[in-house]
Amino acid sequence: LTFLAADSDQHCDITHFCVTHLLDSWADRSPLHDAAFQGRLLSLKTLIAQGFNVNLLTTDRVSALHEACLGGHVACAKVLLENGAQVNAATIDGVTPLFNACCSGSAACVSMLLECGAKARLGSHLPSPMHEAVKRGHRECMETLLAHEVDIDQEDPQHGTPLYMACTYQRTECVKKLLELGANVNVGKGLDTPLHAAARKSSVEIVVLLTDYGADPKCRNADLKCALDLATPHSKVEQALLLREGPASLAQLCRLCIRRHLGRSCLGTVPKLHLPEPLENFLLHRSV
């Protein structure tokens, strides 16, 4: 449970259901749950052969598949699924095996669950596997979900869009990939944009990334503040935002216009245009 308790400063977050409910329901866990949680494949197979129900639930509706995915034990999860485990089973908190796989950072579990019919989200009011993957910086899990047509701009009422969450938790690699794949750079949480979140966290690299992809530094949130208003005075973030206060360069305006016209097909379309390599790299934000 150590890694589950790592976000102690986020004590109200849904991800902490794991610690609370696993401890509360420990008494009614079956040997099947224990084997799945510990990744003991041989024991798991033996218990199933002895007639243990793979869909047996604790009082909090935690299944053995939940346990296997929480531990990132892909072989155990596969055996459970092959023996009829419910891929979209939800706990009393609405947490699914897919959510747990994103929590553990197991892209292999995520991929297998999706191939077996796992839904990326059972309802807008329930925990989002996509947001959990981004929050923890599990980029491979995030990319796997996006490859299965999960909405890249899916806005969670509590956490905003995946890009907003990536900026809030300073997950730079996730920010890069989301922008590369066409995430809307100005959509965050209500009127708060990803740039607002990055400015609050003093993430100068993320601020530069967002503005390079067309983030509007003049956007104001519900408190009528722009990103510059939220930056720490005399910080590198403030300097970066001040440098971007004036009009964008013609080259930047052209890049934004072309990318906006191509939309999310940009990654696949630009290489087919047979442009000079420096120009292709510029349009795709590739470092030379």
Side-chain angles (χ1 to χ4, degrees):
L1 300 180
T2 304
F3 76 95
L4 293 173
D7 290 338
S8 57
D9 58 325
Q10 301 295 325
H11 60 279
C12 293
D13 198 277
I14 187 62
T15 57
H16 285 77
F17 93 95
C18 302
V19 175
T20 303
H21 291 302
L22 282 178
L23 291 175
D24 287 347
S25 63
W26 204 266
D28 69 343
R29 287 160 55 88
S30 70
L32 198 72
H33 284 80
D34 290 333
F37 181 70
Q38 295 169 22
R40 292 187 282 111
L41 183 60
L42 183 58
S43 297
L44 191 71
K45 288 180 176 179
T46 302
L47 290 166
I48 292 172
Q50 290 174 352
F52 272 82
N53 180 1
V54 294
N55 288 308
L56 188 65
L57 303 175
T58 68
T59 52
D60 292 323
R61 303 191 62 79
V62 175
S63 69
L65 184 58
H66 279 100
E67 303 279 25
C69 293
L70 189 60
H73 304 304
V74 65
C76 290
K78 182 179 180 183
V79 166
L80 289 164
L81 287 166
E82 288 172 345
N83 283 275
Q86 294 179 5
V87 72
N88 287 308
T91 68
I92 59 171
D93 294 297
V95 170
T96 62
L98 184 60
F99 180 95
N100 277 359
C102 288
C103 184
S104 71
S106 174
C109 277
V110 170
S111 180
M112 183 176 62
L113 290 167
L114 289 167
E115 288 169 5
C116 290
K119 294 180 180 178
R121 200 172 184 186
L122 298 181
S124 59
H125 62 292
L126 296 177
S128 161
M130 177 68 168
H131 286 75
E132 184 66 11
V134 171
K135 172 188 171 181
R136 294 182 177 274
H138 297 317
R139 198 187 75 177
E140 283 188 56
C141 293
M142 180 193 82
E143 290 186 66
T144 303
L145 288 165
L146 291 172
H148 283 77
E149 300 184 352
V150 171
D151 182 7
I152 198 170
D153 292 321
Q154 177 188 94
E155 190 168 349
D156 181 280
Q158 184 180 353
H159 302 113
T161 62
L163 180 59
Y164 184 85
M165 178 163 261
C167 293
T168 299
Y169 284 89
Q170 302 176 71
R171 303 301 187 185
T172 306
E173 289 306 310
C174 289
V175 171
K176 285 180 181 177
K177 181 54 67 172
L178 286 165
L179 290 170
E180 185 181 294
L181 294 175
N184 191 323
V185 73
N186 288 312
V187 177
K189 181 182 177 183
L191 295 177
D192 221 49
T193 67
L195 192 58
H196 283 100
R200 276 194 201 90
K201 295 294 182 178
S202 299
S203 305
V204 66
E205 185 179 359
I206 293 177
V207 164
V208 171
L209 266 172
L210 293 170
T211 52
D212 280 350
Y213 274 86
D216 185 356
K218 296 179 181 178
C219 280
R220 295 190 177 275
N221 61 16
D223 297 321
L224 301 180
K225 293 184 182 294
C226 65
L228 185 57
D229 296 327
L230 302 174
T232 302
H234 312 300
S235 66
K236 290 184 179 180
V237 165
E238 184 186 62
Q239 292 171 23
L241 289 168
L242 285 170
L243 285 172
R244 285 157 177 76
E245 271 202 317
S249 67
L250 181 58
Q252 171 71 341
L253 289 172
C254 288
R255 174 164 64 181
L256 291 174
C257 182
I258 292 169
R259 289 185 64 92
R260 196 175 296 119
H261 178 75
L262 292 176
R264 288 178 186 162
S265 67
C266 195
L267 258 184
T269 304
V270 169
K272 295 177 183 177
L273 299 177
H274 305 294
L275 300 169
E277 188 176 351
L279 183 53
E280 181 178 311
N281 288 335
F282 177 73
L283 288 175
L284 294 176
H285 292 270
R286 288 177 183 157
S287 301
V288 180

